[in-house]
Amino acid sequence: MSIAIRPMLGIVATILLASSAFANNNASVTSSTMVVQPAKKEGRIWSGFVNVSRSTSLYDFQDSSRKDGVDYMTRLNLKLSDSYSLRVQGGYSQDLNYPESNDFSDTSLNLQRVPKEAGRYLLIGYRVGTGIPTSKDSHTRQNLLGSLSTGLNIVVNPDRLMTGFEVAGGLSVGRNFHQYETALDGRVNTQYSSSQTLSLSYNFTSGISLSAEFLHKNTWSYQNVMRDSFEMSQELGYQLNPTWAIAVGHSNSGSTLKPNGSDSNVQFVDDNNSLIYGSVTAIF
């Protein structure tokens, strides 16, 4: 059975949100992206992709708050066996408004088990990984030494769904290791994190795909202060051929609760935080 998760859902959103997440929340260095990419050819050992995306704020208030950037990401997969693979992922973010904010993302290395049948309705896989602080924000401002994480990928058995429709979820926990409990700017660093992800997609036979993802994240500082946040994305993609894919989408993120600590802040569109993006992906 082959499992073809939507082409690029969540990849661009994760890249775009990564810089602000690290700067504002001291987030875990491990990406929450759940994309499952099978080898391009049966029996091929190496596979991967290179993604380039351009993003900008959904609303332009004609002031300095508008976000505008280009992001690059590379992922390499090494097939160890029919069940296990190694994945290396890294990237670079370019801020077109403030070049001094340009930075590499942190690099992740994960050992992954391909989702296997767990009963009639679910396929379950897992991963264990480490994060390497290759960004200035992590190794310079936060004094991050590294991180460890583990998680489950849960996929609804495609045989139980209508053709083309896919549903997947994920659970993860992580632990960061810092030289100091506080960052250079005085903020307390994040020690632990957890996340829960749900993604839906529909793939048409023409190569067009519609997809959406929602991620809820909790982080705990060294002083045991918890922060609650969310990330969401919606995407329209098109697979031009086995090598090239293009996509456009919308992403939004922020605190799960409003400043009063009780009302929900989760909303589909946010005037201040919504981004729109376009991307091109080369698959190999």
Side-chain angles (χ1 to χ4, degrees):
M1 179 189 305
S2 63
I3 305 172
I5 304 301
R6 69 277 183 250
M8 289 292 117
L9 172 67
I11 293 181
V12 178
T14 300
I15 300 171
L16 301 183
L17 298 171
S19 298
S20 60
F22 284 119
N24 299 326
N25 301 319
N26 296 325
S28 167
V29 299
T30 304
S31 169
S32 62
T33 303
M34 293 169 45
V35 173
V36 177
Q37 182 192 1
K40 192 173 178 182
K41 294 181 180 179
E42 187 70 24
R44 185 170 179 177
I45 296 178
W46 287 98
S47 63
F49 61 78
V50 177
N51 174 270
V52 179
S53 65
R54 172 69 183 272
S55 66
T56 187
S57 296
L58 179 61
Y59 296 103
D60 184 4
F61 297 106
Q62 303 299 318
D63 58 19
S64 59
S65 65
R66 183 180 184 183
K67 300 179 180 67
D68 197 7
V70 180
D71 298 273
Y72 311 86
M73 191 182 76
T74 299
R75 175 181 292 180
L76 297 175
N77 302 299
L78 172 62
K79 182 178 179 181
L80 302 177
S81 67
D82 290 339
S83 298
Y84 293 93
S85 65
L86 279 177
R87 185 186 77 187
V88 180
Q89 179 174 302
Y92 182 79
S93 294
Q94 182 180 6
D95 192 322
L96 299 181
N97 293 327
Y98 304 98
E100 64 274 13
S101 298
N102 295 352
D103 197 4
F104 288 95
S105 66
D106 291 319
T107 302
S108 64
L109 174 63
N110 290 280
L111 173 65
Q112 300 193 134
R113 185 183 186 276
V114 174
K116 300 292 185 180
E117 289 188 3
R120 298 178 59 190
Y121 296 98
L122 295 178
L123 304 165
I124 298 180
Y126 62 83
R127 66 171 177 81
V128 291
T130 182
I132 304 169
T134 49
S135 70
K136 291 183 295 185
D137 181 72
S138 292
H139 68 70
T140 301
R141 186 181 72 83
Q142 297 182 32
N143 292 296
L144 182 67
L145 301 175
S147 71
L148 296 175
S149 65
T150 185
L152 293 177
N153 292 331
I154 305 169
V155 181
V156 177
N157 193 330
D159 294 339
R160 304 299 173 182
L161 300 173
M162 61 184 294
T163 303
F165 186 53
E166 294 162 355
V167 180
L171 302 170
S172 69
V173 293
R175 168 72 154 89
N176 292 333
F177 301 90
H178 295 85
Q179 186 175 4
Y180 307 106
E181 292 187 359
T182 57
L184 291 181
D185 58 6
R187 298 184 185 184
V188 181
N189 287 320
T190 291
Q191 185 176 23
Y192 296 102
S193 64
S194 69
S195 64
Q196 310 85 45
T197 309
L198 174 65
S199 64
L200 308 172
S201 68
Y202 186 80
N203 302 295
F204 297 89
T205 56
S206 61
I208 296 174
S209 63
L210 298 173
S211 51
E213 183 177 71
F214 182 85
L215 178 142
H216 174 259
K217 181 184 296 183
N218 297 103
T219 60
W220 291 266
S221 72
Y222 283 92
Q223 295 180 356
N224 203 31
V225 175
M226 188 189 77
R227 293 185 176 91
D228 220 5
S229 62
F230 75 94
E231 302 171 5
M232 64 169 64
S233 63
Q234 307 82 39
E235 186 171 285
L236 170 65
Y238 181 59
Q239 191 83 29
L240 299 171
N241 53 49
T243 302
W244 294 97
I246 56 176
V248 294
H250 162 264
S251 66
N252 180 24
S253 67
S255 174
T256 304
L257 299 176
K258 291 184 177 180
N260 61 20
S262 58
D263 296 334
S264 175
N265 188 49
V266 179
Q267 48 191 328
F268 181 75
V269 176
D270 185 292
D271 292 356
N272 297 311
N273 295 314
S274 282
L275 300 172
I276 54 174
Y277 62 85
S279 71
V280 176
T281 303
I283 305 165
F284 55 88

